[in-house]
Amino acid sequence: MNRTTRRAVPLLVLLLAGCSTAPVSFQGVAPSGLETAYRCAVAQLNLMDYTIEDGNLEAGFVRARRQTSGVVQELFTGAAHHDILTASVFDNPATGNTHIRVVASRVADHDIGLVAGLDDEEEQGENQLGPSDSGKADAQRLLTNCGVVAVTGSSASR
């Protein structure tokens, strides 16, 4: 390996790490029972202007999305960006504690746009993106507002 390549490799690794599309997970022990924790998660998602897409108490999860892109961005990119939060609640039989886990991710829905409209092929679908800072902060806020004191997981400042 030459000198330039050796200097470029660490920089490339750092750049690729910052472009991760992997969801980020946060969790902690809720002071309330399973049903109360689930209802709190749903209420917090609604308060943060997320639209509930799926979920139910019996399955112990709720999935919601909130659009984060503006009209101008959508027209030029052909994609609407959405933060996705999936909250799951479960009891740990070993400890008897109720846990809440919130997974933050982000997607780009490709189906509109000025530039995209110039192309003959219609591009539709959903691309997984790395979670936004606001999505990660919302995940932590949901946990905090539902009474979780010790949140574990990745930092929202990443």
Side-chain angles (χ1 to χ4, degrees):
M1 230 192 282
N2 66 30
R3 179 179 230 164
T4 305
T5 304
R6 280 184 283 193
R7 288 182 182 171
V9 169
L11 179 61
L12 183 60
V13 169
L14 285 174
L15 287 173
L16 290 175
C19 297
S20 173
T21 60
V24 176
S25 178
F26 303 93
Q27 70 175 355
V29 176
S32 54
L34 196 65
E35 184 174 348
T36 303
Y38 175 81
R39 294 195 189 289
C40 181
V42 170
Q44 289 303 311
L45 290 167
N46 282 317
L47 288 171
M48 292 186 288
D49 293 326
Y50 280 78
T51 301
I52 306 295
E53 291 185 322
D54 195 10
N56 64 53
L57 175 59
E58 291 79 31
F61 85 98
V62 60
R63 179 184 167 156
R65 79 171 48 215
R66 180 178 67 193
Q67 186 166 336
T68 58
S69 57
V71 174
V72 173
Q73 179 185 4
E74 292 174 25
L75 285 174
F76 283 101
T77 65
H81 290 199
H82 295 88
D83 281 337
I84 308 287
L85 294 184
T86 304
S88 54
V89 295
F90 55 95
D91 287 327
N92 181 342
T95 63
N97 293 328
T98 298
H99 290 260
I100 303 176
R101 177 182 302 125
V102 183
V103 177
S105 61
R106 187 170 49 136
V107 296
D109 292 323
H110 296 279
D111 58 1
I112 58 170
L114 180 62
V115 176
L118 298 175
D119 192 355
D120 288 341
E121 292 185 31
E122 190 173 321
E123 184 179 335
Q124 293 189 2
E126 193 172 86
N127 289 345
Q128 184 76 29
L129 305 171
S132 69
D133 287 341
S134 64
K136 292 186 278 186
D138 287 345
Q140 289 184 325
R141 187 174 324 125
L142 184 151
L143 290 169
T144 300
N145 290 344
C146 287
V148 174
V149 177
V151 175
T152 59
S154 298
S155 168
S157 63
R158 270 185 139 173

